[in-house]
Amino acid sequence: LHVSVADSGAGVAPAELARRRARGVGLANVERRIERQFGAGGTFVFQSAPGVGTSVELWIPAVELSGARGDAP
């Protein structure tokens, strides 16, 4: 599963983005959960640049559920 969200807003410099991420709890929580559940197979990437905007990408590997029958609902 790949989810990508981007905007063309003001954006922020990399140092400012790192500072903001270090201050908050929510994004770190999401990153920890993805790593715990999927290991290196899941990623959460932020990119931002002043005057360009910000993008966020979330990659989660497809996994087979045990006991799943494989037929569509």
Side-chain angles (χ1 to χ4, degrees):
L1 172 67
H2 176 225
V3 178
S4 178
V5 178
D7 70 28
S8 57
V12 296
E16 176 64 14
L17 180 61
R19 187 182 70 75
R20 289 180 185 184
R21 291 185 70 190
R23 243 184 21 212
V25 177
L27 296 178
N29 187 7
V30 171
E31 285 179 304
R32 278 194 307 273
R33 288 172 182 256
I34 291 170
E35 183 178 321
R36 189 176 301 136
Q37 185 68 31
F38 303 106
T43 59
F44 193 49
V45 178
F46 274 77
Q47 295 181 330
S48 191
V52 176
T54 302
S55 67
V56 180
E57 290 189 81
L58 172 62
W59 293 85
I60 299 176
V63 294
E64 185 175 327
L65 300 176
S66 62
R69 296 183 308 165
D71 45 344

